[in-house]
Amino acid sequence: MSAVEARLAELGLTLPEVVPPLAAYQPAVQTGPYVYTAGQLPMVEGKLPVTGKVGAEVTPEEAKELARTCALNALAAVKSVAGDLDRIARVVKVTGFVASASDFTGQPAVLNGASELLAEALGNRGVHARSAVGVAVLPLDAPVEVEIQVELTEA
């Protein structure tokens, strides 16, 4: 077990299996020392626990927890190509999408769920640049989607 996975266990979390692609793409790809994940939905055991728009059917607090799940799924995708999460030199960028009710403007607070998880799991290596974007709809009516870019150390 990697040190990152041990830290996740201390947080009461288990790295899930990689979420299978919903279409014609890979969950993550590596080029040089960088891994780019596809957008990760908050899937738990193959299902979305909640659907709908944040600020309408989904509360901001629920969405923040869903963003944590997205980040955990993104780490699983990184591991699938890197082999070991301890190879993460740093999380470079997080991009998050929030399916938002028309008057909802709290996207940054929702995406804090992903950012906080990455910092808790990786320490300073998990601190990153980020974009939080409100959108009309996401695949499967998911409330949140997160993608990450990480830099790896040598194998």
Side-chain angles (χ1 to χ4, degrees):
M1 177 184 294
S2 71
V4 174
E5 289 177 88
R7 177 65 185 137
L8 289 171
E10 289 173 12
L11 297 169
L13 301 169
T14 303
L15 198 67
E17 294 295 320
V18 177
V19 176
L22 299 174
Y25 62 88
Q26 294 296 313
V29 297
Q30 181 176 351
T31 183
Y34 298 98
V35 174
Y36 297 81
T37 71
Q40 300 293 311
L41 299 179
M43 303 290 267
V44 177
E45 298 179 358
K47 299 180 196 164
L48 287 173
V50 178
T51 59
K53 306 277 186 290
V54 181
E57 301 87 1
V58 181
T59 69
E61 295 78 18
E62 289 172 312
K64 183 177 179 182
E65 277 303 309
L66 294 169
R68 278 179 73 85
T69 301
C70 292
L72 193 60
N73 289 340
L75 287 174
V78 169
K79 182 180 177 185
S80 75
V81 297
D84 184 344
L85 291 178
D86 289 343
R87 290 189 59 211
I88 296 174
R90 82 167 299 131
V91 177
V92 177
K93 176 84 186 270
V94 171
T95 304
F97 305 94
V98 180
S100 303
S102 62
D103 61 343
F104 182 72
T105 60
Q107 292 84 6
V110 168
L111 268 296
N112 281 346
S115 294
E116 291 167 3
L117 174 81
L118 293 168
E120 290 169 6
L122 296 156
N124 286 337
R125 296 178 299 151
V127 178
H128 51 267
R130 187 182 81 189
S131 298
V133 182
V135 298
V137 68
L138 288 167
L140 306 179
D141 200 25
V144 182
E145 181 175 342
V146 173
E147 62 184 43
I148 68 174
Q149 300 167 11
V150 304
E151 181 181 9
L152 301 177
T153 61
E154 293 294 322

